[in-house]
Amino acid sequence: MATLAQDLAADPLDVSRAELYRDHLWHEPFRRLRAESPVYRCENSSFGPYWSVSTYKPIVHVESLPDIYSSSWEYGGITLAERFDDGVPMPMFIAMDRPKHTDQRRAVAPAFTPSEMVRMSDSIRARTAELLDELPVGTPFDWVDRVSIELTTQMLAILFDFPWQDRRKLTFWSDWAGDIELVHNPETRRERLGHLMECATYFKRLWDGKVGQPPTPDLISMMIHSEAMSHMDDGEFIGNLILLIVGGNDTTRNSMTGAVYALDKFPDERARLEGDPGLIPNAVSEIIRWQTPLAHMRRTCVQDTELEGQKIARGDKLALWYISANRDESVFENADRLIVDRPNARRHLAFGYGIHRCVGARLAELQITILLEEMARRRLRVNVLEQPVRVSACFVNGYRSLPVELSRY
């Protein structure tokens, strides 16, 4: 009799397997899915049955119909892992449907307006310049820890008005919150819950210190002074904090690492960018497309429907594989290559599409743009010394470490 492990391994098109991302082997199964079955039913996976949606057009279709394809935590939320809150629901606005999603998203959106980006840009540039000037030239170091984590954690600390000396707690909590592989192990589930409760307790102190105070331009104050979020229960409070911490950390952090890894991998494109820094804004969109820091989002069908000729039943879960849609050759020619002046780079789906599109997309783009601009100003080139250590999970498409050495050009 076949074992459960053998059953789960039987489907070569089960793209939820963590080792595909850890070992960077996801390209081929997604290439097959796009060519043979863009909407594919996977019966056996460690997350249970699900539909893989792997091409651009049907993902946009699903995202455009949020009343049919739900994001709500009540149906399981936004990842292939079923809720693993162990009896402590932590709803967040990205895992809500309208109208509550709209009201809560609107409460934090003022932190990410174009005018706020202008206001914050000088501070981001100054901190980025200071960090780059402290980096050793000609001496190996870990880019993930010294640059990507540090810059994004500093930004999160400013967004939350979080105590500066404790800012690495934000990275720690983000890593525990975003690791969906923990769902498979009861011990790590309990440990995760403990860390998230610690996070909630810490932020509750910050919240209490701002109650009754005049509004300030940080996320906690914005929530306190909004009708939609001022009276959240404990679960919604921690859920929305986790969303903002993971969203502000993982997307930018892994794109900052993906940027230097990709430019090293495609030296001809790096030379073009070094020769024309005016290409940086477009290159940032292309880097985010090429990296796709969140591999998927999940939706749950709330009524019987049809997608690309497949019958989708009420209650079915669908994985929208942004990582694959951003390699869809019918939209992005030569999609596996980084092309810094790609004319349609901004059409990528790394931030999602429709009402759930990443609220912090502008800030992520700004941080990466400023990093590349300040590197160009110093004529710094990042040389990758070894292959990266990658996150072993099908949700966050990220890096644990990347050994590099800086040189001048």
Side-chain angles (χ1 to χ4, degrees), residues 4 8 11 14 16 41-52 80-82 183-184 298 317-319:
L4 176 62
L8 295 182
D11 189 347
D14 172 18
S16 72
R41 174 81 173 178
C42 177
E43 292 293 346
N44 291 315
S45 87
S46 60
F47 299 105
Y50 69 93
W51 290 94
S52 268
L80 274 176
E82 295 300 324
V183 70
H184 304 307
R298 174 253 185 99
K317 62 180 174 182
L318 301 89

Side-chain angles (χ1 to χ4, degrees), residues 81-102:
E82 295 300 324
R83 281 172 49 193
F84 57 115
D85 48 40
D86 293 312
V88 186
M90 299 178 189
M92 53 190 73
F93 68 79
I94 196 175
M96 295 176 185
D97 294 332
R98 296 181 291 194
K100 197 167 185 179
H101 162 265
T102 307

Side-chain angles (χ1 to χ4, degrees), residues 2 5 27 32 47 55 78 90 97 103-104 142 171 200 211 227 259 287 310 327 349:
H27 296 76
R32 277 192 60 191
F47 299 105
T55 54
I78 57 165
M90 299 178 189
D97 294 332
D103 294 339
Q104 293 200 357
D142 178 13
T171 308
V211 170
E227 186 63 34
I287 285 161
Q310 300 290 338
R327 291 293 202 278
L349 294 180

